[in-house]
Amino acid sequence: MNRHHSPVIPHVLIVDDAPDIRSSLCQYLKKQGLHTSSAADAAEARQTLSEAHIDLVILDIMMPGEDGLSLCRWMAANTEIPVILLTAMAADMERIIGLEVGADDYVVKPFNPRELLARARAVMRRHPATAFTAESRCRRFDKWIHNPKDQTIIHHNGSTVKLTSTENRLLGVLLDHPYRVLKRSMLLDRVMRREEKAYDRAIDNQVGRLRKKIEQDPSNPKILVTEWGGGYKLMAEVESTEAP
Amino acid sequence: MNRHHSPVIPHVLIVDDAPDIRSSLCQYLKKQGLHTSSAADAAEARQTLSEAHIDLVILDIMMPGEDGLSLCRWMAANTEIPVILLTAMAADMERIIGLEVGADDYVVKPFNPRELLARARAVMRRHPATAFTAESRCRRFDKWIHNPKDQTIIHHNGSTVKLTSTENRLLGVLLDHPYRVLKRSMLLDRVMRREEKAYDRAIDNQVGRLRKKIEQDPSNPKILVTEWGGGYKLMAEVESTEAP
DNA sequence: ATTGTGTGAGACAAATTGCGACAATTGAAT
DNA sequence: ATTCAATTGTCGCAATTTGTCTCACACAAT
């Protein structure tokens, strides 16, 4: 479980002739901690592919000029870069899937950017050529920036606090699900190395320890809050960010 | 019905190994205004669950690989996320219901998407954990400002009073329906986490406790008023407001 | 007034959690 | 291998939160 991935941030190329989709998608993925480029047509896409190191292509197949499908076929034949296809119509999608163009996944417009991101991650994770790690992402919450690679959190005033590895994992899971109550069993599952029989309340201890580091007043938690009878929840906006 | 349209559109995860069901169901639910993701097997579902904020899982239990049932059990044990089970055969369904896997509802294929949607909505509405999670807006009433994120109310004179988790939920529901009589059964449903058997008047106690915190004279309630034989109602103008 | 039902307030027990203490374990340096 | 320090799991106990119960009282209808 402790795969230490490359610190390289994945670079996504978005190919779509609609400028609004290009920019909004770029913006969203950037905010989520990815690098992005965009191209308005297949020719531009080829250009970018030859110049930059691209880890994933998100490709709208309904484009003027060279068909998106032929670009997709070309990539499948000549590169290792995974492709996610976009199309406006579900009906077309079925036809296209039948064509076996070598795409790794398909999304129908209008899509939820979050879902697209999840699929992008899934595709990249599956793909040996791209080592994408959600674990190495830095995320901002409250007045802190979590740097999971260094096991540190950096306060807005500049001071740095070191986390232990368990605290680091715990914070990572909490940041994955802000505003949601996470049960002890779930946290135990993902955070602790438990030997079959685990003391159910080992997690309480870690929560308390993490509180001492991130809360202004650990006896009055504002960020890592207890839901009585439920579990714990992180009450803070979370935003992916570049390493500081 | 939900006058403060939740800022969070429910996000449904569909787990089914049949691609046609996945995509058609996704499409239908999307058209009906929900966010959707899909997974082809249990492993993919776990991945999505750890990465995205999922409010409901629709799960086909007849899947290759890890049994859908074990995923369902794991979710019941480790998450608060409600589950609707799908199966192709009505006969199997009875057996499965007997297994007590912790699902919230069951639908037999082939199903009417509209019915599935209705059940999905019912399950989510009924589920306090998912319905409430990310609602963190502050609201002003009488001389108080409710800050659900911090579980506090702040008086106009500046003093802050802490609420317990249950009081916080109760006040949240009351503020959702000002000047309206709320029956005990409704409050029990949304406020208490009731384990099978519930003492009908547990809510009275919570109302009393909340009164001690918000009423000037708790024995003469002006804000949280009893409707004799009916329930309780909040008699105050409610106004959404910025965090103080 | 009397009766029956619903409600408020306090007491109480059960369940849950915070926190300090400590032992077991790990990891690094010697 | 040994030592030492840091980390982490386990436990005990006090404090908090919650659900249930009891009893006195309020309300509506005889």
Side-chain angles (χ1 to χ4, degrees):
Chain A
M1 203 56 181
N2 269 340
R3 301 163 294 155
H4 265 267
H5 301 266
S6 103
V8 179
I9 295 175
H11 193 158
V12 181
L13 173 61
I14 295 152
V15 189
D16 195 318
D17 58 310
D20 53 332
I21 298 222
R22 280 207 305 277
S23 69
S24 69
L25 192 50
C26 269
Q27 200 181 348
Y28 176 77
L29 294 180
K30 249 179 223 167
K31 199 171 162 192
Q32 298 304 319
L34 299 172
H35 285 161
T36 59
S37 297
S38 66
D41 54 45
E44 210 176 301
R46 283 170 192 275
Q47 184 64 36
T48 307
L49 283 167
S50 70
E51 288 171 347
H53 176 89
I54 299 296
D55 299 293
L56 169 70
V57 174
I58 296 174
L59 173 62
D60 186 342
I61 38 154
M62 309 300 280
M63 290 191 307
E66 179 193 355
D67 195 44
L69 283 178
S70 67
L71 175 59
C72 187
R73 277 207 200 83
W74 178 84
M75 287 190 57
N78 301 308
T79 77
E80 295 284 332
I81 303 172
V83 178
I84 294 179
L85 286 184
L86 288 181
T87 190
M89 281 180 283
D92 281 356
M93 192 52 86
E94 291 183 18
R95 180 176 61 81
I96 288 155
I97 292 173
L99 295 179
E100 311 241 349
V101 288
D104 295 76
D105 205 347
Y106 310 82
V107 174
V108 177
K109 289 202 266 191
F111 54 86
N112 175 359
R114 223 168 171 166
E115 185 195 351
L116 181 55
L117 174 62
R119 297 208 183 191
R121 282 200 189 122
V123 164
M124 287 191 283
R125 192 177 317 106
R126 258 183 244 135
H127 220 80
T130 55
F132 175 56
T133 92
E135 290 103 44
S136 66
R137 246 185 325 163
C138 292
R139 285 179 288 192
R140 187 196 312 268
F141 68 100
D142 196 73
K143 290 172 182 167
W144 297 98
I145 294 175
H146 178 216
N147 197 331
K149 210 178 74 179
D150 305 348
Q151 301 200 0
T152 58
I153 48 176
I154 302 173
H155 195 267
H156 218 65
N157 68 17
S159 62
T160 299
V161 176
K162 272 198 75 175
L163 300 178
T164 68
S165 51
T166 305
E167 287 161 356
N168 194 49
R169 284 195 302 275
L170 172 58
L171 182 54
V173 173
L174 288 166
L175 289 172
D176 283 342
H177 303 283
Y179 297 109
R180 164 156 286 170
V181 179
L182 302 177
K183 301 218 283 192
R184 281 185 175 69
S185 53
M186 191 269 210
L187 293 171
L188 275 168
D189 219 38
R190 304 214 174 159
V191 174
M192 326 288 276
R193 46 178 170 194
R194 59 171 175 183
E195 324 272 336
E196 270 309 314
K197 277 206 166 182
Y199 177 48
D200 286 47
R201 296 191 45 201
I203 202 72
D204 295 34
N205 221 328
Q206 293 299 344
V207 168
R209 283 162 179 155
L210 183 54
R211 273 177 179 155
K212 285 187 183 162
K213 297 191 176 179
I214 67 173
E215 295 280 359
Q216 195 165 3
D217 175 10
S219 57
N220 262 49
K222 301 280 186 189
I223 309 173
L224 212 177
V225 182
T226 301
E227 178 82 10
W228 204 93
Y232 298 98
K233 57 186 176 181
L234 183 85
M235 300 300 282
E237 295 291 333
V238 176
E239 186 188 353
S240 288
T241 180
E242 295 299 320
Chain B
M1 86 175 68
N2 256 355
R3 93 243 42 77
H4 72 270
H5 37 305
S6 62
V8 191
I9 296 174
H11 191 159
V12 181
L13 172 62
I14 295 152
V15 189
D16 196 318
D17 57 311
D20 54 332
I21 298 223
R22 278 205 307 276
S23 69
S24 68
L25 192 49
C26 264
Q27 200 186 349
Y28 176 76
L29 293 180
K30 243 181 234 171
K31 206 185 288 175
Q32 299 304 318
L34 297 174
H35 286 166
T36 59
S37 295
S38 64
D41 55 46
E44 211 175 297
R46 281 172 192 272
Q47 189 62 46
T48 306
L49 283 168
S50 76
E51 286 174 349
H53 182 97
I54 300 296
D55 299 295
L56 170 70
V57 174
I58 296 175
L59 173 62
D60 185 342
I61 35 156
M62 309 300 281
M63 291 193 305
E66 178 194 354
D67 196 79
L69 285 177
S70 68
L71 174 61
C72 188
R73 278 206 201 84
W74 180 86
M75 288 192 54
N78 299 320
T79 77
E80 297 279 344
I81 304 172
V83 178
I84 295 180
L85 285 184
L86 288 181
T87 190
M89 283 181 281
D92 282 355
M93 192 52 87
E94 290 184 18
R95 182 177 60 82
I96 287 152
I97 292 174
L99 294 179
E100 309 237 352
V101 287
D104 295 75
D105 206 347
Y106 309 81
V107 174
V108 177
K109 289 201 266 190
F111 54 84
N112 175 357
R114 223 173 312 174
E115 184 197 347
L116 181 55
L117 174 63
R119 297 210 183 188
R121 289 224 169 98
V123 164
M124 286 190 286
R125 174 160 13 89
R126 197 170 173 183
H127 228 266
T130 49
F132 190 72
T133 357
E135 186 57 65
S136 59
R137 198 158 3 141
C138 296
R139 284 179 290 190
R140 186 197 312 268
F141 69 100
D142 196 72
K143 290 172 182 167
W144 296 98
I145 295 175
H146 178 215
N147 199 331
K149 202 178 111 176
D150 303 346
Q151 304 198 163
T152 59
I153 47 176
I154 303 175
H155 196 266
H156 216 67
N157 69 17
S159 63
T160 298
V161 177
K162 281 187 67 174
L163 301 178
T164 67
S165 300
T166 307
E167 287 161 358
N168 194 48
R169 283 196 301 275
L170 172 58
L171 182 54
V173 173
L174 288 166
L175 289 171
D176 283 346
H177 307 279
Y179 299 110
R180 204 150 297 172
V181 179
L182 304 177
K183 290 196 285 194
R184 281 186 175 68
S185 56
M186 185 272 212
L187 292 172
L188 275 169
D189 242 22
R190 304 208 182 179
V191 175
M192 328 286 275
R193 55 199 184 82
R194 54 176 179 181
E195 315 279 335
E196 276 305 316
K197 48 187 172 185
Y199 177 50
D200 282 47
R201 295 192 46 197
I203 200 73
D204 295 35
N205 217 329
Q206 293 298 345
V207 168
R209 282 163 179 154
L210 184 54
R211 274 175 177 155
K212 284 187 184 163
K213 297 192 175 179
I214 67 173
E215 295 280 359
Q216 195 164 8
D217 176 10
S219 56
N220 261 45
K222 301 285 184 189
I223 310 173
L224 212 177
V225 182
T226 302
E227 178 85 7
W228 208 87
Y232 299 99
K233 57 184 175 181
L234 183 85
M235 300 300 285
E237 294 290 335
V238 176
E239 180 190 356
S240 284
T241 180
E242 293 303 315

